[in-house]
Amino acid sequence: MKLAEKIKKKKIRSAVIGLGYVGLPLVTELAEAGVEVVGIDLDKRKVDSINNKKSYIQDVPTERLKGLVSRGMISATTCYSALRNVDTVNICVPTPLRKTKEPDISYIVKSAEQIAKYIRKGQLIILESTTYPGTTDEVLLPMFEAKGLKVGKDFYLAFSPERVDPGNPIYNTKNIPRVVGGITPACTEAAVALYGLAIDNVFPVSSTRVAESVKLLENTFRSVNIGLVNELALMCDKMNIDVWEVIDAAKTKPFGFMAFYPGPGLGGHCIPIDPFYLAWKARLFGFEARFIELAGQINRAMPEYVVSRVSDALNEKGKSVKGSKILVLGVAYKKDVSDCRESPAFEIMQFLNAKGAQVSYYDPYVAKAEGNGVKMKRTKLTRQTLKKNDCVVLVTAHSNFNYEFIVKNAKLIFDTRDAVKVKNSKVVKL
Ligand SMILES: NC(=O)c1ccc[n+]([C@@H]2O[C@H](COP(=O)([O-])OP(=O)(O)OC[C@H]3O[C@@H](n4cnc5c(N)ncnc54)[C@H](O)[C@@H]3O)[C@@H](O)[C@H]2O)c1
């Protein structure tokens, strides 16, 4: 039986490598669709947690995981030999940037080396990690073909970008359309069949390179537009115009405009990183991706800009940053999640510390903040905490913050998100 047919009949077993924000939701969707899945991760704590029926990912409630693990639909292991017994393998490992802003695909390569050890005829391998165009056909394909297997005939290889937005209450792994590109049409067909089991809409494209570029376009689009509004915020401040009001009014136009908002800097695993995967690859072809570099420069300067505005706001009150007590509200990279990767809050805290401020923080989702030379435990958000601080810097606007309470008790608030909708002399907006 053709692999695509076997998949459609659910006569398969699957593996997912990398059980983080991307991998675990995928494991759950496939298992719920009726496919037995083994998750593979080098992190034993994650593996143990799954086997003990406990979720560590906000988007996968423990209740949901529990039933699937109990019924034997999901298991987890640190051992790659589990690949011997599966028909499909999805790779969901990290793809960070090196300090030099060059792609670090070592996690992909390490997992592919293990796959190559166990690869056998009839298997489908899909890379989901965000990466530069060419990774699947230039890096992975030769590693598997070196085993004497022919792609599209003996095994199948495809790329499908994960587009999940952790914490999003509406869009999730199941209802975000999937783009899929295979090395050969048979590869695309098999990958479309697999996602078709668990995901509402699947959109095939002509190659792995197109599929790889799709994700990079999406995140570059966001990075560039955020760069544009961040620059607008800087301009508006000079001209004493409320940038937030400008954007709110512009977005009443029903076509040709999409609202993006300024902020304290980019965070998370995607937008600050992915555009540089594209820029790096383009550079190998002698092409400088100017929009990407410029947006990156503007966005990366935002944490320092926030600190300079906080300093101005304190100055207005006759205070210097040095010696002031400053409370940072929200350190996760976006609202209503606990993920702190690349969060600008850490850079802001580091700059404030360096200027001699006494910095503390509160985030309902983050008990300990660690990053950028900052290591501290959260304080309590009480009336006394607010009253004793000279300035509150709102970095991440979690939905459960009580702004009335904060405004009532704080001496000064610097709001980087236009979340404090109170007009008050104590509130200064980005
Ligand atoms: N988090 C997001 O919002 C998001 C959204 C879309 C795409 N992505 C992309 O998806 C990929 C995964 O991101 P994530 O957020 O799930 O990362 P993550 O750090 O949450 O999870 C990755 C997991 O892979 C494991 N791992 C690392 N090397 C491994 C190896 N050799 N073998 C087995 N397991 C290994 C890690 O222990 C970790 O548990 C990245 O390329 C990322 O850019 C992430």
Side-chain angles (χ1 to χ4, degrees):
M1 198 190 304
K2 258 176 59 181
L3 180 63
E5 294 308 314
K6 246 174 107 175
I7 293 173
K8 282 180 198 157
K9 293 194 168 128
K10 300 183 191 169
K11 290 190 167 159
I12 52 156
R13 284 210 290 217
S14 294
V16 173
I17 299 176
L19 302 171
Y21 291 92
V22 165
L24 190 58
L26 177 69
V27 166
T28 314
E29 292 303 340
L30 286 171
E32 263 177 3
V35 178
E36 211 181 290
V37 192
V38 57
I40 301 175
D41 202 294
L42 301 180
D43 184 345
K44 193 171 175 316
R45 283 167 310 172
K46 284 187 179 142
V47 166
D48 289 345
S49 182
I50 294 173
N51 291 330
N52 291 326
K53 303 171 195 167
K54 269 206 191 109
S55 177
Y56 45 86
I57 296 284
Q58 212 174 325
D59 291 345
V60 178
T62 286
E63 274 315 303
R64 206 174 151 203
L65 188 71
K66 212 182 208 170
L68 293 163
V69 177
S70 303
R71 284 193 281 123
M73 295 305 289
I74 294 178
S75 60
T77 177
T78 53
C79 191
Y80 270 94
S81 60
L83 293 178
R84 281 202 184 102
N85 305 317
V86 301
D87 305 281
T88 72
V89 185
N90 289 64
I91 307 171
C92 307
V93 296
T95 43
L97 277 181
R98 297 190 192 281
K99 281 210 168 83
T100 53
K101 286 206 277 153
E102 287 180 8
D104 174 3
I105 62 159
S106 60
Y107 298 87
I108 296 180
V109 171
K110 285 209 177 82
S111 35
E113 281 166 358
Q114 293 296 324
I115 296 170
K117 252 196 213 168
Y118 296 102
I119 195 167
R120 58 165 171 78
K121 276 194 175 182
Q123 276 182 328
L124 164 67
I125 296 142
I126 307 175
L127 176 61
E128 292 202 11
S129 303
T130 307
T131 185
Y132 58 80
T135 310
T136 312
D137 62 350
E138 284 170 1
V139 182
L140 297 194
L141 181 61
M143 291 174 75
F144 303 144
E145 286 204 323
K147 297 285 152 181
L149 300 173
K150 184 84 194 120
V151 72
K153 190 169 153 274
D154 299 327
F155 76 101
Y156 306 89
L157 179 61
F159 182 85
S160 175
E162 176 53 74
R163 301 155 119 182
V164 75
D165 179 22
N168 190 315
I170 300 167
Y171 294 109
N172 51 50
T173 301
K174 185 170 166 50
N175 66 11
I176 299 172
R178 267 283 170 171
V179 170
V180 177
I183 299 278
T184 70
C187 299
T188 310
E189 191 194 0
V192 168
L194 180 68
Y195 288 119
L197 297 178
I199 285 162
D200 296 345
N201 283 299
V202 185
F203 187 86
V205 293
S206 65
S207 68
T208 50
R209 284 177 184 233
V210 168
E212 286 159 339
S213 304
V214 166
K215 172 79 184 176
L216 300 180
L217 166 63
E218 290 165 3
N219 284 345
T220 299
F221 171 80
R222 297 194 57 201
S223 167
V224 167
N225 278 290
I226 294 168
L228 176 67
V229 288
N230 275 337
E231 188 169 66
L232 186 77
L234 267 59
M235 272 183 240
C236 282
D237 178 48
K238 292 265 177 231
M239 297 186 285
N240 204 18
I241 297 167
D242 183 336
V243 67
W244 306 93
E245 196 181 347
V246 174
I247 297 168
D248 279 345
K251 80 175 187 204
T252 59
K253 187 177 178 185
F255 55 90
F257 183 80
M258 184 184 275
F260 282 83
Y261 297 95
L266 298 181
H269 200 282
C270 292
I271 305 172
I273 293 171
D274 302 350
F276 293 100
Y277 268 68
L278 186 57
W280 176 82
K281 185 71 184 184
R283 209 171 298 128
L284 297 184
F285 288 81
F287 189 92
E288 281 300 324
R290 288 163 292 172
F291 270 114
I292 292 177
E293 293 299 337
L294 183 58
Q297 276 169 23
I298 294 171
N299 293 332
R300 271 197 308 277
M302 290 310 287
E304 202 162 5
Y305 175 71
V306 166
V307 171
S308 77
R309 293 282 309 276
V310 169
S311 165
D312 293 347
L314 280 167
N315 196 45
E316 283 291 307
K317 303 262 173 202
K319 293 212 163 260
S320 62
V321 175
K322 192 173 181 141
S324 285
K325 290 192 176 73
I326 298 182
L327 174 71
V328 170
L329 275 189
V331 293
Y333 85 84
K334 67 175 179 180
K335 73 174 186 176
D336 303 339
V337 301
S338 59
D339 192 349
C340 290
R341 287 180 294 180
E342 311 284 325
S343 172
F346 293 89
E347 224 178 317
I348 290 171
M349 290 198 276
Q350 194 194 27
F351 281 130
L352 289 169
N353 272 331
K355 285 186 182 295
Q358 292 174 44
V359 184
S360 59
Y361 88 92
Y362 173 76
D363 188 311
Y365 299 96
V366 186
K368 269 190 221 154
E370 240 181 303
N372 257 66
V374 172
K375 197 172 176 183
M376 60 175 92
K377 281 190 187 157
R378 82 175 151 213
T379 186
K380 289 195 175 105
L381 186 61
T382 61
R383 186 174 296 123
Q384 286 87 330
T385 310
L386 290 165
K387 282 190 188 299
K388 79 172 188 209
N389 273 283
D390 299 294
C391 182
V392 170
V393 183
L394 180 73
V395 174
T396 309
H398 293 304
S399 305
N400 56 8
F401 280 145
N402 179 345
Y403 294 113
E404 222 181 284
F405 171 76
I406 293 165
V407 173
K408 191 169 162 213
N409 294 294
K411 289 181 190 153
L412 172 67
I413 300 164
F414 188 78
D415 177 4
T416 68
R417 303 284 186 179
D418 191 30
V420 185
K421 297 288 182 194
V422 186
K423 284 230 184 306
N424 186 312
S425 62
K426 288 195 234 175
V427 183
V428 179
K429 289 198 289 190
L430 179 73

